[in-house]
Amino acid sequence: MSVDMSMPILVVDDYNTMIRIIRNLLKQLGFEDIDDASDGSAALTKMREKKYGLVISDWNMEPMTGYELLKEVRADPSLSKTPFIMVTAESKTENVIAAKKAGVNNYIVKPFNAQTLKTKIDAVFAE
Amino acid sequence: MGITNTQHLERIVDYLKEKRGEDVSLADVVALAEITAESLQTFFETMDTALYRELRDIAGYIADMKVEIGALQANELKNSRIPAAGQELGAIVQATEKATNTIMECAEELMAADASDAAAYKALVDEKMLIIFEACSFQDITGQRIAKVVETLQHIEARVSRFATAMRAKDMTGYFTEQEKARAARREKLLLNGPQLEGEAIGQNDVDSLLSQDNDSAQSDIDRLFS
């Protein structure tokens, strides 16, 4: 399955600079429709208003973490199929395993580069 | 001292035996009171010596503690060093954020620039590169600020360590406040481990490997983590 470059992507991070970095990388990869949210609860609100083709989320945010967002998304029948990539500095084995159990599609450890982001997005849509 | 007390008690017993059945006069009461007073006097003398020794030890301990509390320089830490370290860290965050924004603005302008006019594009690139170089100078200043914060931490560590040793302090279990307890519970529940130091973190290749394992393997990894 090829990647739809016109799909809306939601970037979730509490750090504006990281949102800006991911947004620029996604633009470089050819994506144009990019929204952002500063935590899991703000992301959920946006996801219930607009259908996103991909969510790229940080883990450690307040009040709702990316891990909680992932579980909420997978528990909501209207959102559960949304591809979800975790992009985070949480680099312990237990985090990766927990995210996998919760239904994450891929997991990127910060710091990362454009090539890693592209590879992981391609991998998610190749599933 | 115990023998003396016994002797006094024996005297009281003998006196009472001797006087049993007879009318008790005022002189008898006074005599009994004298024996009892002598007996109590000895008791208080014994108690005073033991008590004095205990109080002297406690006073010595309190004096040592006052010296150690003074050496901790808690007021200086609270009023000066820790707030100063906080300000340094705040300045570091601001400086890195400002530099990052400057660099990203330059990169975004270059990405959006029209490259059809090579000479104009080259001039724009030269101009933005110069700004990027200037922005990178934040690293020198933040390095100096971080060194000051590290020095403060070492200062605190030395004093707290000396205090703990002198007081033979034992760590309290549990949490200092309910907020602290709630934060720790949140960190544990939501696996908020934060960035790891080199050697502690797993790399992207390990992540990919974990994600590609089947669910049974992942479960065994989880079991291993909790065993």
Side-chain angles (χ1 to χ4, degrees):
Chain A
M1 185 178 164
S2 64
V3 181
D4 175 9
M5 304 307 287
S6 65
M7 69 176 171
I9 299 177
L10 181 61
V11 180
V12 192
D13 203 304
D14 56 349
Y15 195 43
N16 277 336
T17 304
M18 187 47 67
I19 286 179
R20 202 166 163 182
I21 290 168
I22 296 175
R23 184 186 280 275
N24 280 324
L25 291 176
L26 289 171
K27 279 187 177 175
Q28 278 292 91
L29 295 175
F31 297 101
E32 286 296 331
D33 191 354
I34 305 157
D35 291 338
D36 60 75
S38 60
D39 87 297
S41 53
L44 264 185
T45 304
K46 290 201 171 187
M47 290 180 78
R48 284 173 180 146
E49 290 169 354
K50 180 175 173 178
K51 187 171 170 55
Y52 288 95
L54 174 66
V55 174
I56 297 174
S57 177
D58 184 23
W59 185 302
N60 195 344
M61 297 175 288
E62 291 204 36
M64 186 191 280
T65 65
Y67 180 48
E68 290 172 298
L69 171 65
L70 172 61
K71 290 198 281 190
E72 288 280 341
V73 166
R74 291 294 177 252
D76 184 331
S78 66
L79 305 174
S80 63
K81 302 288 182 198
T82 311
F84 197 113
I85 298 177
M86 196 74 83
V87 180
T88 175
E90 297 289 352
S91 52
K92 280 192 142 187
T93 306
E94 62 175 350
N95 291 86
V96 182
I97 293 171
K100 183 183 177 184
K101 278 195 82 180
V104 80
N105 294 90
N106 221 311
Y107 196 106
I108 299 173
V109 177
K110 290 177 184 173
F112 62 98
N113 56 35
Q115 186 55 43
T116 303
L117 184 62
K118 183 180 186 313
T119 305
K120 300 308 170 195
I121 293 173
D122 288 344
V124 165
F125 287 96
E127 284 173 3
Chain B
M1 291 295 177
I3 293 166
T4 315
N5 278 336
T6 309
Q7 286 171 345
H8 280 284
L9 288 171
E10 282 168 355
R11 281 178 61 198
I12 294 170
V13 171
D14 291 343
Y15 186 86
L16 290 172
K17 278 180 181 171
E18 196 179 299
K19 293 291 175 185
R20 186 182 292 167
E22 294 182 15
D23 291 337
V24 178
S25 67
L26 181 61
D28 295 333
V29 173
V30 171
L32 194 60
E34 275 177 3
I35 296 167
T36 308
E38 279 175 26
S39 185
L40 286 174
Q41 179 71 28
T42 312
F43 169 73
F44 282 127
E45 278 170 7
T46 311
M47 196 177 76
D48 280 353
T49 311
L51 197 61
Y52 173 76
R53 211 168 32 239
E54 293 256 334
L55 288 173
R56 193 184 55 194
D57 289 349
I58 291 170
Y61 186 74
I62 290 171
D64 289 347
M65 195 190 288
K66 280 177 77 176
V67 169
E68 292 304 329
I69 290 171
L72 192 59
Q73 297 175 317
N75 290 318
E76 195 218 355
L77 292 179
K78 178 176 165 280
N79 298 327
S80 173
R81 286 191 183 258
I82 292 174
Q87 284 173 348
E88 295 289 356
L89 290 173
I92 290 166
V93 172
Q94 277 186 347
T96 51
E97 195 171 350
K98 189 178 169 194
T100 306
N101 282 335
T102 303
I103 292 166
M104 287 182 72
E105 275 166 20
C106 290
E108 284 166 3
E109 279 186 56
L110 289 174
M111 279 168 64
D114 179 7
S116 58
D117 182 344
Y121 186 69
K122 170 76 168 62
L124 181 68
V125 169
D126 287 347
E127 180 199 337
K128 296 301 171 191
M129 285 300 151
L130 198 63
I131 295 171
I132 289 171
F133 287 143
E134 287 166 359
C136 288
S137 66
F138 82 93
Q139 208 277 336
D140 174 38
I141 299 158
T142 54
Q144 291 179 47
R145 289 193 192 283
I146 288 168
K148 285 167 76 177
V149 175
V150 169
E151 190 186 317
T152 299
L153 288 174
Q154 287 169 340
H155 180 91
I156 294 169
E157 185 194 14
R159 275 149 188 78
V160 170
S161 174
R162 177 194 154 119
F163 185 75
T165 305
M167 294 293 107
R168 294 191 286 274
K170 287 181 182 165
D171 288 351
M172 186 178 78
T173 54
Y175 298 96
F176 197 56
T177 62
E178 283 301 312
Q179 283 175 323
E180 197 179 289
K181 187 179 174 183
R183 277 200 301 272
R186 183 175 188 269
R187 274 200 302 273
E188 190 176 346
K189 182 186 167 201
L190 300 173
L191 303 174
L192 301 174
N193 298 305
Q196 303 298 304
L197 291 172
E198 202 173 314
E200 293 171 358
I202 58 170
Q204 188 63 52
N205 288 341
D206 298 319
V207 171
D208 295 345
S209 170
L210 279 169
L211 290 175
S212 65
Q213 287 172 12
D214 58 35
N215 285 332
D216 288 343
S217 301
Q219 186 57 54
S220 68
D221 285 330
I222 294 168
D223 295 342
R224 187 161 43 80
L225 283 168
F226 289 98
S227 64

